[in-house]
Amino acid sequence: MRAAAHACVGGARAGVWWFNSILGGQDYQRYVDHLRRNHPGCEIPTEREYWRQRHADADNNPTNRCC
């Protein structure tokens, strides 16, 4: 019984990780890590500013979208 519960929990975690990666849940943290590593003097935007800019860029440059 424990093994089945452990397998269910592992499957649920894998599903959450997959959806999170598809929806871009870790993108902001990766961007912050990139800025700290490669541009240490650069100001780090808030998460809200990051997403606002990312969506504005996608609207202004729709090359990778189907619609």
Side-chain angles (χ1 to χ4, degrees):
M1 189 72 159
R2 248 184 212 175
H6 186 66
C8 286
V9 169
R13 283 185 184 156
V16 168
W17 173 86
W18 184 78
F19 276 111
N20 194 27
S21 64
I22 294 295
L23 298 175
Q26 296 299 317
D27 290 354
Y28 174 70
Q29 188 57 47
R30 276 189 288 236
Y31 180 68
V32 169
D33 292 343
H34 165 79
L35 286 178
R36 287 183 178 149
R37 223 178 13 255
N38 298 316
H39 309 281
C42 188
E43 184 177 332
I44 296 174
T46 64
E47 188 169 2
R48 183 178 185 150
E49 292 168 339
Y50 167 78
W51 285 110
R52 185 176 291 150
Q53 184 62 44
R54 182 170 169 170
H55 289 297
D57 290 343
D59 287 342
N60 293 331
N61 188 16
T63 57
N64 292 330
R65 295 190 332 199
C66 65
C67 309

